[in-house]
Amino acid sequence: DGGITQSPKYLFRKEGQNVTLSCEQNLNHDAMYWYRQDPGQGLRLIYYSQIVNDFQKGDIAEGYSVSREKKESFPLTVTSAQKNPTAFYLCATRSVDNEKLFFGSGTQLSVL
Amino acid sequence: QQQVKQSPQSLIVQKGGISIINCAYENTAFDYFPWYQQFPGKGPALLIAIRPDVSEKKEGRFTISFNKSAKQFSLHIMDSQPGDSATYFCAASQKGNAGNMLTFGGGTRLMVKP
């Protein structure tokens, strides 16, 4: 997974609860991304950040929030407003001079 | 919304056969077309990529064919092996657009039977 650590591997959320997924990278990449993957579907972009202290909404940002206080870290919070959170969440990074995306190994979020 | 359409959704191939996955795009400004391979429970990994200035790129058993006029590109896996069983995603991006953000196809689940 090339220096990208996602944790936890599995996460369970109770109704009404906010949960935070961790993504840490040691690749010194500026850009970081969060994707959601549903069974049999493609990757949908939730949020992305091209630089510290800046981030932009992707295609499905509603019910999610992020922060980018450090270059190495881009945590994703799944809020209680996200009514269908069960999915596989993938964090990715990219260097500014390279179009190649590097992915973490993902977090499977399920609802109790 | 920019789209990349991928087909088929699933594919079963005998060992030694050729696997072919197709993608079509709409945005003529796209200038980078990668394919990603994903095994169950893992993140996708870059397999091979092509730019529109060439019509074909080959790396080992994997070949991308690119048809700029038709706005289509495809992945060919020659001599398919059971270890190739995975989900494959095509993608496209436009340099300088929203951080070179990739737009992904819906994925193809490939099963290679021994």
Side-chain angles (χ1 to χ4, degrees):
Chain A
D1 296 315
I4 303 171
T5 302
Q6 286 190 244
S7 61
K9 181 70 175 176
Y10 302 95
L11 185 59
F12 297 90
R13 192 192 88 166
K14 296 179 181 178
E15 195 167 339
Q17 184 182 41
N18 293 353
V19 293
T20 297
L21 284 61
S22 171
C23 178
E24 302 281 331
Q25 56 113 349
N26 61 7
L27 300 171
N28 200 34
H29 287 171
D30 292 295
M32 298 188 73
Y33 305 78
W34 275 105
Y35 287 90
R36 170 177 171 145
Q37 184 176 19
D38 293 280
Q41 296 191 31
L43 306 176
R44 293 185 290 169
L45 184 65
I46 306 172
Y47 268 98
Y48 67 100
S49 168
Q50 297 186 68
I51 196 170
V52 174
N53 292 323
D54 184 57
F55 49 83
Q56 305 296 328
K57 292 182 179 180
D59 300 320
I60 55 166
E62 186 174 350
Y64 300 97
S65 66
V66 293
S67 63
R68 186 83 187 276
E69 298 177 0
K70 299 186 300 181
K71 188 175 185 178
E72 301 80 15
S73 179
F74 191 40
L76 173 74
T77 296
V78 184
T79 74
S80 57
Q82 173 49 247
K83 299 306 180 186
N84 184 24
T86 297
F88 190 53
Y89 290 86
L90 287 159
C91 176
T93 71
R94 184 184 58 80
S95 61
V96 290
D97 58 349
N98 192 332
E99 289 152 312
K100 179 179 177 180
L101 271 184
F102 293 83
F103 284 88
S105 57
T107 293
Q108 176 64 51
L109 175 62
S110 303
V111 176
L112 287 176
Chain B
Q1 181 180 354
Q2 299 173 347
Q3 285 190 332
V4 177
K5 296 182 180 179
Q6 184 172 345
S7 64
Q9 285 189 313
S10 62
L11 181 62
I12 300 175
V13 173
Q14 290 294 129
K15 179 182 175 182
I18 302 173
S19 303
I20 301 174
I21 305 170
N22 301 299
C23 283
Y25 62 96
E26 299 173 356
N27 185 352
T28 55
F30 284 148
D31 56 8
Y32 175 69
F33 302 90
W35 285 88
Y36 280 80
Q37 179 189 55
Q38 183 183 29
F39 294 104
K42 301 292 185 182
L46 179 66
L47 188 63
I48 187 172
I50 197 169
R51 298 192 184 278
D53 54 342
V54 296
S55 60
E56 187 175 282
K57 183 174 181 180
K58 184 176 181 179
E59 290 185 2
R61 295 183 295 109
F62 300 92
T63 299
I64 298 180
S65 296
F66 184 81
N67 186 330
K68 190 174 182 178
S69 60
K71 293 187 287 184
Q72 296 175 348
F73 58 110
S74 60
L75 175 69
H76 296 233
I77 305 175
M78 311 300 288
D79 186 26
S80 298
Q81 299 297 312
D84 296 331
S85 297
T87 299
Y88 293 81
F89 294 97
C90 63
S93 69
Q94 176 185 348
K95 193 173 181 64
N97 182 35
N100 297 355
M101 191 165 59
L102 283 172
T103 299
F104 285 88
T108 296
R109 196 166 184 176
L110 171 65
M111 180 185 295
V112 181
K113 288 192 169 182

